[in-house]
Amino acid sequence: IEPVPVRVLDLLEEVREEFKRSFEGEIRVEAPPEVWVRGDPNRLHQVLANLLANAIKAKAKTIHLKAFGLGERVLVRVEDDGEGIPKEHLPHLFERFYRVDKARDRERGGSGLGLAIVKAILEAHGGEVWVESEVGKGTAFSFSLPASGPPPPPP
Ligand code: ATP
Ligand code: MG
């Protein structure tokens, strides 16, 4: 698939719209309009949708979607105030089929593939992803992607 310039603010707002109906909490979006990345918009949407679905399963009340430009890179953060993840699990989260609490996670549905897919998509875009979390406080997934300029004006 041919990568195209994607405005990060639009991407975040589209995901917010998509989750509005199924999520009772608040989704806040904060991103400068001039920040762009290059990629497949559907795949990047899938990354954000997977991260939001996880935050909602973790009983978040508020989800923050933030992005900013950092020179040649763009940083995106998905922060939630859900139940958090015990430290010993953090190094394994992006492994296929890895789940923190087998019984609980099975009840909540899913297969443990979401974050492995997130990582694969981001790496295919020249990106990186990492996680910070504190039990009882919440979780933040961050990823970086190469920055892009806006699309060329139509002739
Ligand atoms: P799938 O995404 O395939 O439907 P899943 O959500 O269980 O299933 P992943 O998205 O890969 O799988 O997440 C792996 C595990 O990491 C989850 O089962 C959950 O325990 C934990 N996890 C992921 N994101 C969060 C989060 N924001 N807060 C708390 N725990 C999380
Ligand atoms: Mg998931």
Side-chain angles (χ1 to χ4, degrees), residues 28-75:
R28 284 167 60 179
V29 169
E30 235 176 291
E34 73 276 11
V35 170
W36 296 74
V37 294
R38 270 180 84 73
D40 175 342
N42 293 319
R43 290 282 161 257
L44 295 175
H45 185 96
Q46 193 187 351
V47 164
L48 288 159
N50 283 355
L51 295 176
L52 259 78
N54 284 349
I56 292 167
K57 278 199 276 188
K59 300 193 160 65
K61 301 225 162 18
T62 305
I63 301 172
H64 260 134
L65 305 177
K66 297 182 188 172
F68 49 94
L70 214 64
E72 309 275 275
R73 310 286 289 177
V74 173
L75 227 86

Side-chain angles (χ1 to χ4, degrees), residues 80-87 90 132-140:
D80 73 56
D81 58 358
E83 53 202 15
I85 304 164
K87 246 192 189 58
L90 296 180
E132 298 149 81
S133 189
E134 203 173 316
V135 172
K137 285 191 80 176
T139 301

Side-chain angles (χ1 to χ4, degrees), residues 15-139:
V15 182
R16 171 169 59 186
E17 284 311 303
E18 183 188 324
F19 279 80
K20 243 183 193 163
R21 270 170 290 125
S22 58
F23 179 52
E24 286 173 10
E26 189 192 1
I27 301 175
R28 284 167 60 179
V29 169
E30 235 176 291
E34 73 276 11
V35 170
W36 296 74
V37 294
R38 270 180 84 73
D40 175 342
N42 293 319
R43 290 282 161 257
L44 295 175
H45 185 96
Q46 193 187 351
V47 164
L48 288 159
N50 283 355
L51 295 176
L52 259 78
N54 284 349
I56 292 167
K57 278 199 276 188
K59 300 193 160 65
K61 301 225 162 18
T62 305
I63 301 172
H64 260 134
L65 305 177
K66 297 182 188 172
F68 49 94
L70 214 64
E72 309 275 275
R73 310 286 289 177
V74 173
L75 227 86
V76 182
R77 258 173 94 81
V78 178
E79 297 175 359
D80 73 56
D81 58 358
E83 53 202 15
I85 304 164
K87 246 192 189 58
E88 63 268 26
H89 296 286
L90 296 180
H92 306 290
L93 281 193
F94 298 97
E95 294 167 13
R96 271 183 283 174
F97 307 118
Y98 191 86
R99 313 183 79 190
V100 169
D101 178 331
K102 284 181 180 58
R104 186 203 66 192
D105 288 333
R106 198 176 313 112
E107 228 165 81
R108 290 179 182 179
S111 55
L113 277 173
L115 288 174
I117 293 166
V118 161
K119 186 169 189 239
I121 293 171
L122 290 171
E123 287 181 349
H125 281 80
E128 283 182 289
V129 58
W130 63 99
V131 58
E132 298 149 81
S133 189
E134 203 173 316
V135 172
K137 285 191 80 176
T139 301

